[in-house]
Amino acid sequence: MGPRQMSMLATFIKPMHREGYRFVGIFAAVTAVLFLIAEPLGWIGVGLTVWCYYFFRDPDRMTPVREGLVVSPADGVVQMIEAAVPPAELGLGADPLTRVSVFMNVFNCHVNRAPVAGQVEKIAYRPGKFFNASLDKASVDNERNGLTIRMEDGRRIGVVQIAGLVARRIVCEVNEGVHLMTGQRFGMIRFGSRLDVYLPAGVAPLAAVGMTTVAGETVIADLASTEPERRGAVR
């Protein structure tokens, strides 16, 4: 197989997060049973098994590494950018901070990545409800897991994994005290959800509502920039 064929294959075949092995196995087993019942049902099972694998894909990303850049922690669409008081358990204070919310649907890659480099100062899980993650109240009422990351300059950023209407498991793969690099994997959420990023005071977002983001690659803010908040326009 030549380099071109290998490149084309790599476009479609991605590494899979370990959380997916069990689910793909279950889907494959059910598919085998469906083939025994009726071949058309079996092919439907094949399609669902491929989707399950695709959901748990975990591709490598090329992260920009200039100091001060804040990257998206999730694949998806920037749904909201607004001032909001961060969850109390993050210890970021009671004053509103700019919150950038990225919504992931069931076709997005669900592996979450650190928006900045720094030490994980706090991890706080909070049980809750399972409203549609696209609703504003999901930030307050839904099950969530938050990380507070302290950067070298002492400033802190909050990133919150929020379960959605379908999501029923938040996975956090790091512990308090560890040092994360920008774009490093730290967890995932199964089957549709949302990530909130709380920027430090005075930092304007460079993302715009409606923008598609790639986890670990898309820059959503620059801590070293004085550029005003960006606005998006449909073209």
Side-chain angles (χ1 to χ4, degrees):
M1 184 178 293
R4 182 177 180 182
Q5 288 76 17
M6 291 291 291
S7 178
M8 291 179 63
L9 187 63
T11 300
F12 298 100
I13 306 299
K14 303 294 185 183
M16 186 171 64
H17 192 279
R18 63 177 177 269
E19 281 279 315
Y21 293 133
R22 175 165 59 95
F23 286 92
V24 171
I26 292 172
F27 273 65
V30 171
T31 296
V33 173
L34 291 177
F35 268 116
L36 295 175
I37 297 172
E39 185 173 337
L41 293 177
W43 286 112
I44 292 174
V46 169
L48 292 173
T49 302
V50 171
W51 168 80
C52 185
Y53 151 74
Y54 192 66
F55 176 87
F56 285 101
R57 67 196 184 279
D58 184 13
D60 292 331
R61 296 287 165 80
M62 186 62 67
T63 300
V65 293
R66 178 172 66 75
E67 186 175 350
L69 295 181
V70 181
V71 299
S72 176
D75 287 16
V77 175
V78 177
Q79 184 180 46
M80 288 178 283
I81 299 177
E82 58 188 5
V85 176
E89 63 266 21
L90 295 182
L92 295 176
D95 295 327
L97 299 174
T98 298
R99 183 180 69 197
V100 180
S101 300
V102 179
F103 177 74
M104 300 180 287
N105 63 39
V106 294
F107 297 105
N108 291 128
C109 173
H110 274 57
V111 175
N112 305 142
R113 294 173 178 264
V116 295
Q119 185 180 47
V120 179
E121 184 178 76
K122 182 175 293 187
I123 298 177
Y125 169 79
R126 180 186 181 279
K129 300 177 181 178
F130 296 96
F131 293 122
N132 189 325
S134 64
L135 300 177
D136 184 50
K137 64 180 179 179
S139 292
V140 177
D141 296 328
N142 280 23
E143 177 183 4
R144 63 181 183 252
N145 184 71
L147 281 71
T148 301
I149 302 174
R150 179 182 290 275
M151 296 170 285
E152 286 190 3
D153 64 4
R155 286 187 290 182
R156 297 180 296 171
I157 275 184
V159 56
V160 183
Q161 300 168 288
I162 300 173
L165 187 65
V166 181
R168 284 297 184 272
R169 177 166 168 77
I170 295 175
V171 178
C172 183
E173 301 173 327
V174 299
N175 299 312
E176 292 181 355
V178 304
H179 188 277
L180 295 175
M181 302 301 295
T182 305
Q184 183 176 335
R185 300 167 177 87
F186 73 85
M188 73 174 302
I189 316 177
R190 291 208 299 244
F191 304 121
S193 41
R194 176 172 137 194
L195 268 288
D196 285 348
V197 177
Y198 291 87
L199 300 174
V203 175
L206 300 184
V209 173
M211 185 176 80
T212 299
T213 64
V214 177
E217 292 188 356
T218 303
V219 175
I220 61 173
D222 185 351
L223 304 177
S225 174
T226 58
E227 180 180 345
E229 179 179 349
R230 292 183 181 179
R231 303 289 181 180
V234 178
R235 301 299 188 190

